[in-house]
């Protein structure tokens, strides 16, 4: 009969065994294990373990230039701590329509930005986007974007034009720009035989929304900070829009803009759009979707697009924003913003309706006054 050797204490075990055990854990479990004993705590501080955790979670960082970037801003352990939690912003101001009227239509730079030196210190080249898409825990797209595209006129048109990044339109040279991102039944998609059938049961739409995940990390090289501005899971979407074969999924977060814009907070909107390019029609064919859009833009509470210069200020401010590993907290933050935004729109409509009635009454009074003077 085989005897089993007893272990007197944890210290008698080989440290390589500990390293092998901890190297198989995800980030959250690794952090918990580090609190159990001194040996685990010591090993869990090693950068190599956290590099493996980050690479499994974000395949886009498996490049020498990105690994060097992460090392320069504090290492993989700090990168995980900064980018795995989601941005939570509960400081949404109370809806008040007339607070927009306190600001003139034409703002000078001093009024618009507060500190002009702070604006001059920011540059589109400071930012790096690290983006990963997963479907049912399988990586389907990884992209890295250095700088902000089309921002050559930073002090000209980019500064005042609406900010937008269309990620699929750009390549940094390490990627095949013509390579298309596809999803098919082999990736776990349910089969559909017709758009009409999908309209009725919505099975493909349900599977797509439940299975798709997005991470969009913004890194600022100058201030050595990073944050994930995506919500991991979708916040909403539209099926069969703008065409029957399109599925639009929306991610995002609520970002602080206290000293940048009068609305105090803005919404970072990340849009992912898939198009049905093939349906199951018989032997050898299968349902296939193609990713046709992956974009970022910022909107204020009134629904207006934030311009380029203000967007960079907001993105930099968001890197030091409060975060949480609890998805429901991030979701609550977005719901609070939507609620206040709806209240603002309703108040604006009531005020505009009142102004319309006032104009009509004034017009009628002026008409009768004019008529009385003629008589």
């Amino acid at each position: 009969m085989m005897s089993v050797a007893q272990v007197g204490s944890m210290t008698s075990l080989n440290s390589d065994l500990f390293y092998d055990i901890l190297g198989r854990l995800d980030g959250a479990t690794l952090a918990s294990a580090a609190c159990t004993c001194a040996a685990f705590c010591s090993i869990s501080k090693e950068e190599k373990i956290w590099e493996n955790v980050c690479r499994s979670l974000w395949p886009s960082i498996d490049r020498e230039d990105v690994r060097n970037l992460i090392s320069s801003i504090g290492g993989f352990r700090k990168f995980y701590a900064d980018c795995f939690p989601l941005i939570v912003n509960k400081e949404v101001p109370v809806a008040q329509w007339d607070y927009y009227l306190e600001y003139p239509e034409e703002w000078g730079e001093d009024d618009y930005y507060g500190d002009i030196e702070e604006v001059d210190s920011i540059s589109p080249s400071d930012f790096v986007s690290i983006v990963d898409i997963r479907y049912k825990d399988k990586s389907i797209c990884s992209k890295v974007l250095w700088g902000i595209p089309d921002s050559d006129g930073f002090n000209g048109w980019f500064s005042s034009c609406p900010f937008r990044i269309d990620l699929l339109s750009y390549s940094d040279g390490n990627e095949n720009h013509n390579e298309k991102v596809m999803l098919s039944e082999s990736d776990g998609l349910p089969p559909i035989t017709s758009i009409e059938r999908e309209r009725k049961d919505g099975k493909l739409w349900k599977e797509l929304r439940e299975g798709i995940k997005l991470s969009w990390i913004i890194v600022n090289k100058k201030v050595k900070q990073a944050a994930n501005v995506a919500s991991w899971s979708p916040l909403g979407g539209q099926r069969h829009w703008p065409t029957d074969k399109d599925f639009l999924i929306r991610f995002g977060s609520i970002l602080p803009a206290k000293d940048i814009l009068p609305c105090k907070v803005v919404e970072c909107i990340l849009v992912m759009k898939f198009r049905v390019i093939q349906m199951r029609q018989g032997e050898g064919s299968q349902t296939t979707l193609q990713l046709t859009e992956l974009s970022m833009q910022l909107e204020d509470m009134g629904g207006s697009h934030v311009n380029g210069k203000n967007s960079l200020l907001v993105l930099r401010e968001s890197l030091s924003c409060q975060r949480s590993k609890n998805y429901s907290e991030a979701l609550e933050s977005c719901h609070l913003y939507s609620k206040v935004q709806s209240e603002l729109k309703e108040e604006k409509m009531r005020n505009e309706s009142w102004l319309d009635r006032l104009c009509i009454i004034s017009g009628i009074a002026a008409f009768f006054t004019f008529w009385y003077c003629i008589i």
Side-chain angles (χ1 to χ4, degrees):
M1 185 174 180
M2 184 180 294
S3 60
V4 180
Q6 293 186 351
V7 178
S9 66
M10 291 284 287
T11 55
S12 64
L13 294 177
N14 192 306
S15 61
D16 290 339
L17 179 60
F18 288 162
Y19 193 96
D20 184 65
I21 293 172
L22 297 183
R24 299 171 185 270
L25 304 179
D26 59 32
T29 309
L30 177 60
S32 298
C35 302
T36 59
C37 66
F40 280 7
C41 180
S42 176
I43 296 175
S44 66
K45 293 179 182 179
E46 295 192 21
E47 276 291 287
K48 189 62 180 177
I49 286 185
W50 286 103
E51 180 180 348
N52 293 336
V53 169
C54 291
R55 288 170 64 179
S56 64
L57 190 59
W58 299 293
S60 55
I61 71 171
D62 194 15
R63 295 170 29 168
E64 185 177 359
D65 54 353
V66 181
R67 291 197 295 270
N68 291 339
L69 169 67
I70 293 174
S71 297
S72 71
I73 64 173
F76 289 92
R77 187 183 179 193
K78 179 178 182 296
F79 184 78
Y80 178 88
D82 288 342
C83 302
F84 180 74
L86 300 175
I87 289 178
V88 175
N89 191 341
K90 297 182 180 180
E91 298 180 3
V92 180
V94 177
Q96 185 178 355
W97 177 69
D98 58 358
Y99 80 145
Y100 280 100
L101 304 180
E102 298 174 5
Y103 295 83
E105 292 184 5
E106 298 294 334
W107 291 1
E109 282 195 328
D110 292 340
D111 297 326
Y112 205 82
Y113 304 116
D115 187 355
I116 194 65
E117 292 183 359
E118 182 181 0
V119 179
D120 290 339
S121 68
I122 198 167
S123 169
S125 61
D126 296 337
F127 295 88
V128 181
S129 291
I130 302 174
V131 182
D132 288 279
I133 304 175
R134 288 180 175 272
Y135 181 69
K136 295 186 175 180
D137 292 328
K138 176 185 176 182
S139 176
I140 63 170
C141 179
S142 296
K143 292 184 73 71
V144 178
L145 187 64
W146 298 84
I148 306 296
D150 301 328
S151 59
D152 296 338
F154 176 60
N155 294 317
W157 68 267
F158 175 83
S159 172
S160 55
C161 286
F163 173 83
R164 180 182 173 89
I165 297 177
D166 287 298
L167 197 68
L168 300 184
S169 302
Y170 307 101
S171 172
D172 67 352
N174 291 324
E175 302 159 350
N176 184 356
H177 181 66
N178 296 320
E179 185 178 354
K180 297 177 180 179
V181 179
M182 301 292 191
L183 265 181
S184 65
E185 292 178 37
S186 59
D187 298 310
L189 279 181
I192 61 170
T193 55
S194 69
I195 295 297
E196 290 73 20
R197 181 64 180 271
E198 168 59 22
R199 276 186 174 278
K200 291 179 181 179
D201 58 32
K203 187 176 181 181
L204 175 63
W205 171 242
K206 182 176 182 294
E207 290 283 334
L208 188 61
R209 281 198 58 180
E210 291 179 352
I212 204 75
K213 306 292 181 186
L214 173 65
S215 169
W216 191 313
I217 295 171
I218 295 292
V219 180
N220 187 301
K221 297 183 292 183
K222 181 177 289 187
V223 299
K224 299 184 183 302
Q225 289 181 314
N228 197 337
V229 296
S231 49
W232 282 110
S233 297
L235 298 174
Q238 289 177 276
R239 60 173 177 153
H240 310 302
W241 190 93
T243 72
D244 282 347
K245 294 185 176 182
D246 288 315
F247 295 85
L248 185 148
I249 307 173
R250 184 174 59 83
F251 302 79
S253 55
I254 307 304
L255 307 182
K258 185 176 180 180
D259 298 320
I260 304 167
L261 293 170
C263 57
K264 311 297 184 184
V265 291
V266 301
E267 183 178 14
C268 177
I269 301 174
L270 307 175
V271 173
M272 184 187 300
K273 189 184 294 182
F274 286 93
R275 173 167 293 175
V276 179
I277 61 171
Q278 183 174 309
M279 291 175 283
R280 179 181 284 189
Q281 301 295 339
E283 193 73 24
S285 64
Q286 59 177 339
T287 302
T288 305
L289 303 182
Q290 179 183 335
L291 181 66
T292 58
E293 180 183 334
L294 183 56
S295 64
M296 172 196 288
Q297 60 188 36
L298 272 59
E299 290 186 2
D300 66 15
M301 196 166 285
S304 299
H305 296 287
V306 181
N307 66 31
K309 187 170 287 188
N310 280 336
S311 292
L312 296 189
L313 291 170
V314 169
L315 289 175
R316 186 174 67 175
E317 183 72 17
S318 70
L319 302 184
S320 56
C321 191
Q322 180 183 351
R323 294 158 224 194
S324 173
K325 295 178 182 177
N326 189 343
Y327 174 72
S328 61
E329 285 191 41
L331 195 61
E332 181 184 351
S333 175
C334 295
H335 286 167
L336 177 61
Y337 180 90
S338 298
K339 179 184 176 183
V340 174
Q341 189 178 45
S342 297
E343 292 173 354
L344 178 64
K345 289 180 180 178
E346 291 174 2
E347 184 178 352
K348 183 178 180 180
M349 289 176 64
R350 286 195 298 268
N351 280 276
E352 288 178 345
S353 177
W354 179 82
L355 289 174
D356 289 341
R357 290 196 298 270
L358 183 62
C359 290
I360 292 172
I361 293 171
S362 300
I364 293 174
F367 172 78
F368 280 109
T369 302
F370 175 74
W371 182 258
Y372 177 78
C373 291
I374 293 177
I375 296 175

